[in-house]
Amino acid sequence: MSAPEETAPARNHALAEALAWISKFAHAWKAIEPAPHSLSIDGFIIWGPVLYEKHGKEDPVALAAQLYGKSGDYFKYLYPGRTQDAGEALPF
């Protein structure tokens, strides 16, 4: 009896592209953040797909600079334990 052939699953290029874009955005946001210890990169797992769907054709680094401080409802995921100031309540 021969061993079954091992085949690697086909790479999902669309998913890989989205994850790369989200990663660039998250790291650019973190680089801007004056208190990076208060930022939860895990928050981008929730916010990132929403951003990618709406802004995926834009440069993620430039978009992070443009949107910095305007995380809206996603603030609680990005900054767990911090309270949202009035100026940070702007929608993305």
Side-chain angles (χ1 to χ4, degrees):
M1 202 173 229
S2 64
E5 288 185 39
E6 290 186 31
T7 57
R11 183 166 186 207
N12 184 330
H13 293 287
L15 178 58
E17 180 181 310
L19 292 174
W21 188 97
I22 292 166
S23 178
K24 285 181 185 177
F25 180 89
H27 284 92
W29 186 283
K30 184 177 180 182
I32 298 167
E33 177 59 54
H37 62 280
S38 68
L39 177 64
S40 172
I41 290 295
D42 292 342
F44 290 99
I45 293 171
I46 298 166
W47 193 30
V50 174
L51 286 168
Y52 182 75
E53 185 176 323
K54 186 172 181 179
H55 300 282
K57 302 292 185 210
E58 298 176 43
D59 175 14
V61 175
L63 185 65
Q66 176 187 340
L67 293 182
Y68 180 76
K70 300 174 189 166
S71 57
D73 291 339
Y74 297 94
F75 181 90
K76 63 186 172 191
Y77 304 112
L78 296 174
Y79 302 98
R82 274 181 53 186
T83 57
Q84 191 172 17
D85 295 337
E88 295 170 325
L90 301 172
F92 72 95

